Amino acid sequence: GAVCISQAVAAELKAWVAQHQPAVAQTLKIDWFHLGADIESSIPSKGMPDDGSQLLQQLAAQPSFLAVGTLEPRKRHGQMLDAFEQLWAQNVAANLIIVGKPGWLTEALTTRLSTHPQLGRQLFWVQTASDEYLEKIYAASTCLIAASEGEGFGLPLIESAQFGIPLLLRDIPVFREVAGGSAYYFGGPAGRQTAAEAAQDTAQSIKAWLSLYEAKQHPLSTGLKYNTWQQSVEQLQQSLFV
């Protein structure tokens, strides 16, 4: 059998097995559980970089959109950067902060980020962060932005909700499952837009969200429900032993 970290992934796996291994699909048990998100119940890492306080001040100075996760193609960091470049060209006051180490197939993106003219001004890239520092970055940010075209769960959504940070998410099934009506959604699955169209759509969605935010009409994440790690383990145990 297999236990997945969301209903969306379980559904994707069932569909894949049915297509590629139909004989196995008859007997393979597939279930799911949700991850926990109470960092304080683990052993959180500590430590702040020397320039940490300055970064937090810059984030608090104007609307700041936070993206959390290892750099890899499916997370569409490049598309987010394309969108923000359009906004900066229009003199939109907004920061993009990316917290995540370089992953795979991202050499061009990492070069682009590390040499970007807005780096340290309206673009920030934190490659490594302790739990303590990440929590402070969450608290200083205005909105979490997630442009991923595929995710297993989306733990940063839950972590953001714990700080009351609003969510701006790509409209994919797993994000709908985790955040429901507690987020503003944009775009859709891969393959329906060109890169230029996707970047423009993302930029327009950010501007639309900012308008709602200024009018205090944006969706709130404060009602988003999530598991503790204890509840997550209990849900996993039920999946394994039922």
Side-chain angles (χ1 to χ4, degrees):
V3 184
C4 306
I5 58 173
S6 64
Q7 286 179 280
V9 171
E12 290 177 5
L13 179 58
K14 287 179 182 178
W16 188 93
V17 173
Q19 179 181 355
H20 297 278
Q21 298 288 339
V24 175
Q26 302 299 318
T27 57
L28 183 68
K29 179 183 177 183
I30 298 175
D31 210 336
W32 61 274
F33 73 110
H34 276 176
L35 301 177
D38 50 333
I39 294 177
E40 67 277 3
S41 295
S42 62
I43 305 177
S45 57
K46 302 290 185 180
M48 293 282 294
D50 294 338
D51 61 348
S53 296
Q54 178 182 345
L55 172 62
L56 297 175
Q57 291 176 0
Q58 288 176 283
L59 295 181
Q62 64 182 17
S64 296
F65 292 80
L66 169 63
V68 179
T70 301
L71 273 59
E72 53 181 287
R74 67 181 172 88
K75 292 183 180 290
R76 292 293 182 259
H77 291 91
Q79 186 183 108
M80 282 189 283
L81 184 54
D82 290 342
F84 274 89
E85 285 177 344
Q86 293 183 23
L87 298 176
W88 295 330
Q90 300 168 24
N91 295 318
V92 174
N95 295 324
L96 172 62
I97 173 168
I98 297 172
V99 178
K101 62 183 179 181
W104 45 93
L105 302 176
T106 57
E107 290 80 4
L109 175 62
T110 56
T111 299
R112 183 181 172 193
L113 286 171
S114 59
T115 60
H116 201 282
Q118 285 285 1
L119 188 65
R121 297 180 174 88
Q122 290 181 288
L123 172 65
F124 307 92
W125 181 23
V126 177
Q127 297 190 39
T128 57
S130 66
D131 290 326
E132 177 187 11
Y133 189 29
L134 179 57
E135 287 188 339
K136 291 183 182 298
I137 291 173
Y138 272 121
S141 298
T142 308
C143 180
L144 179 86
I145 182 168
S148 299
E149 292 180 341
E151 283 288 348
F153 181 70
L155 194 57
L157 279 60
I158 306 297
E159 294 175 344
S160 297
Q162 291 179 310
F163 290 94
I165 298 170
L167 307 173
L168 177 61
L169 312 175
R170 185 180 300 281
D171 194 356
I172 58 175
V174 69
F175 286 166
R176 288 279 184 178
E177 176 185 340
V178 173
S182 300
Y184 184 97
Y185 296 93
F186 68 93
R192 297 182 182 178
Q193 296 175 309
T194 65
E197 289 171 341
Q200 185 175 15
D201 176 71
T202 303
Q204 291 174 344
S205 297
I206 294 169
K207 289 178 70 174
W209 185 90
L210 282 169
S211 295
L212 291 173
Y213 177 72
E214 291 170 1
K216 297 183 178 180
Q217 295 178 346
H218 60 290
L220 301 177
S221 66
T222 49
L224 196 156
K225 296 181 179 180
Y226 58 87
N227 285 341
T228 64
W229 279 112
Q230 180 63 39
Q231 292 169 326
S232 177
V233 170
E234 291 170 356
Q235 192 177 16
L236 173 59
Q237 288 177 326
Q238 291 175 356
S239 297
L240 291 174
F241 300 123
V242 169

